[in-house]
């Protein structure tokens, strides 16, 4: 199995609204992804729906191609009994250089019967409106691809190798990195100490409110560490496509 090193960075770049930005790169394959997203939630009886507002761009430097994509919605089901999560909605993917685009549909489970995590997709050649590929299956299971040439291909995502991420020890993390910042809340939850977790959470929130008041009083806007505002989105400050790797 070929192994490559991935580098992933995420940061909350805005608090009102709460926007998160993500960047991932693989120098060996000359690939990187930059994305920003913020969420809108709504309650639907026994479910909670979360819309992902924003978009991402996959850069394939070897081919000088950029694929712009949107994100699916997420649904938390049976929130008062045994909760479970599924994806739903349509995702668009478009590459201006190649002239191809795709629509990926995440199908939510019907109330009675039906499979979970089902997905279908179509890839289209934009100038001729020709469907060159169709896909169907489960996004976390087996996917079957059928091409206009008649060729078929099957991918079983459950058999793909899983590589655990490596993270710096807490003492080497920055003051505001999530695992370090929320370590006491996390530990209390692991121990089943809900009161302790709530207390630590309130302390963090009070501190954040105090820091926000201080910034407002001194007119010092929140400045992200890793991302720069560009138009309506956020871009990593040192992406792979700027380093000519």
């Amino acid at each position: 199995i070929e192994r490559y090193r991935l580098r992933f960075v995420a940061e909350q770049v805005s608090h009102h609204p709460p926007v998160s930005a993500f960047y991932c790169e693989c120098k060996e394959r000359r690939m990187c992804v930059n994305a920003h997203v913020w969420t809108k939630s709504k309650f639907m009886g026994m479910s909670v729906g979360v819309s992902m507002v924003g978009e991402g761009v996959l850069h394939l430097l070897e081919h000088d191609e950029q694929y712009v994509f949107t994100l699916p919605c997420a649904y938390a089901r049976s929130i008062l009994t045994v909760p479970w999560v599924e994806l739903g909605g349509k995702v668009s993917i478009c590459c201006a250089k190649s002239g191809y685009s795709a629509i990926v549909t995440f199908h939510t489970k019907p109330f009675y019967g039906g499979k979970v995590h089902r997905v279908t997709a179509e890839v289209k050649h934009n100038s001729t409106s020709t469907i060159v590929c169709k896909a169907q299956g489960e996004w976390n299971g087996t996917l079957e691809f059928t091409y206009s040439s008649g060729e078929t291909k099957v991918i079983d995502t459950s058999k793909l190798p899983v590589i655990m991420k490596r993270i710096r020890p807490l003492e080497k993390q920055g003051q505001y990195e999530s695992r370090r910042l929320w370590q006491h809340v996390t530990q209390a939850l692991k121990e089943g100490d809900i009161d302790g977790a709530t207390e630590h959470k309130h302390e963090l929130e009070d501190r954040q409110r105090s820091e926000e008041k201080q910034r407002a009083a001194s007119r010092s806007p929140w400045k992200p560490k890793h991302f720069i505002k560009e138009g309506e989105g956020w871009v990593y400050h040192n992406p792979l496509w700027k380093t000519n790797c």
Side-chain angles (χ1 to χ4, degrees), residues 52-112:
M52 304 290 188
V53 183
E55 66 177 24
V57 183
L58 166 65
H59 295 257
L60 302 181
L61 303 185
E62 184 178 350
H63 304 288
D64 189 29
E65 294 176 347
Q66 293 86 43
Y67 292 80
V68 181
F69 59 90
T70 58
L71 300 160
C73 300
Y75 297 91
R77 307 295 193 187
S78 305
I79 57 176
L80 299 181
T81 54
V82 181
W84 59 283
V85 177
E86 66 173 340
L87 300 177
K90 293 182 183 293
V91 167
S92 65
I93 307 170
C94 184
C95 176
K97 181 180 180 181
S98 69
Y100 288 92
S101 63
I103 295 294
V104 183
T105 304
F106 291 84
H107 300 271
T108 55
K109 183 181 181 300
F111 192 77
Y112 293 107

Side-chain angles (χ1 to χ4, degrees), residues 117-163:
H117 310 313
R118 196 166 67 87
V119 64
T120 57
E122 286 187 346
V123 180
K124 181 176 70 174
H125 184 243
N126 296 330
S127 61
T128 61
S129 295
T130 303
I131 304 298
V132 297
C133 178
K134 291 186 177 182
Q136 65 174 347
E138 292 82 41
W139 62 265
N140 60 348
T142 301
L143 289 165
E144 181 180 3
F145 298 83
T146 304
Y147 297 88
S148 55
S149 63
E151 179 188 0
T152 61
K153 184 181 294 185
V154 176
I155 295 177
D156 187 348
T157 63
S158 65
K159 292 183 180 179
L160 296 176
V162 176
I163 309 298

Side-chain angles (χ1 to χ4, degrees), residues 2 4 44 47 54 76 92 101 135 180-181 197 207 214 227 243:
E2 289 185 286
Y4 301 97
M44 303 171 295
S47 301
S92 65
S101 63
R180 180 173 179 178
L181 194 66
R207 193 171 88 190
Q214 291 176 9
F227 292 85
T243 59

Side-chain angles (χ1 to χ4, degrees), residues 149-238:
S149 63
E151 179 188 0
T152 61
K153 184 181 294 185
V154 176
I155 295 177
D156 187 348
T157 63
S158 65
K159 292 183 180 179
L160 296 176
V162 176
I163 309 298
M164 298 299 292
K165 58 180 175 287
R166 298 174 62 187
I167 300 171
R168 286 194 300 268
L170 290 180
E171 62 272 13
K172 292 186 178 180
Q173 291 185 15
Q175 180 182 359
Y176 292 104
E177 290 194 54
S178 295
R179 286 174 182 260
R180 180 173 179 178
L181 194 66
W182 291 84
Q183 60 179 305
H184 300 302
V185 176
T186 302
Q187 186 59 37
L189 289 174
K190 286 182 177 179
E191 295 171 355
D193 181 6
I194 303 302
D195 291 338
T198 301
E199 182 181 345
H200 289 303
K201 178 175 177 289
H202 287 163
E203 289 175 358
L204 279 178
E205 291 172 339
D206 289 342
R207 193 171 88 190
Q208 289 172 343
R209 292 190 191 99
S210 175
E211 291 172 349
E212 176 62 26
K213 287 181 180 179
Q214 291 176 9
R215 285 194 296 271
S218 62
R219 296 184 179 181
S220 303
W222 172 266
K223 186 177 181 181
K225 182 177 180 181
H226 301 288
F227 292 85
I228 301 168
K229 189 82 162 66
E230 287 193 6
E232 296 299 313
W234 294 83
V235 178
Y236 185 62
H237 71 96
N238 189 31

